[in-house]
Amino acid sequence: MKTTLLIAAGLVSAGALPVQAQAPSASTSGVNAAQGGSTASDLVGRTVLGRGGVVLGEVERVTLRRDGSPAQVLVRPKGPRAGGPRSLAYSSVRVDGEALTTPLTLAEFNAMPVIE
């Protein structure tokens, strides 16, 4: 529960702009070396894994800061009762090869509010 609250608190990010990254452009070329050097457009479509390697979903959209670096990732859940997407602070995920990982459990991820 504390993890969910901390991540939810991280969703309010000063300086974040609602920019959708789907194709490379000047506004999506920001690189965050601490996160594996990925550009925002490289993150779209990646699988997001939770604690224990369980698949939580797939990155649908990336919200960028003014400097073009990723601020949040919108994750579309996988599964038969998936529901709508959830927003994770980019600082709460790690680039791990072709996937992103987060310390959230499936239950914690599913308990997060759905983004409309």
Side-chain angles (χ1 to χ4, degrees):
M1 183 69 165
K2 287 182 181 181
T3 304
T4 302
L5 293 175
L6 290 174
I7 291 174
L11 297 178
V12 179
S13 176
L17 297 175
V19 176
Q20 185 172 346
Q22 289 193 2
S25 71
S27 65
T28 62
S29 60
V31 174
N32 185 336
Q35 295 294 318
S38 296
T39 63
S41 60
D42 289 340
L43 299 173
V44 175
R46 287 196 187 195
T47 300
V48 179
L49 304 174
R51 189 177 303 156
V54 65
V55 175
L56 301 178
E58 186 175 283
V59 176
E60 183 175 282
R61 191 171 67 209
V62 178
T63 303
L64 305 175
R65 293 185 181 89
R66 285 187 178 94
D67 68 0
S69 63
Q72 299 174 2
V73 291
L74 191 66
V75 180
R76 173 71 56 185
K78 293 288 184 183
R81 301 176 60 205
R86 286 20 175 232
S87 183
L88 300 176
Y90 184 65
S91 61
S92 73
V93 298
R94 297 283 173 246
V95 176
D96 187 10
E98 291 299 312
L100 299 178
T101 60
T102 180
L104 290 174
T105 65
L106 181 59
E108 291 169 332
F109 178 76
N110 289 336
M112 293 178 69
V114 173
I115 305 299
E116 297 296 327

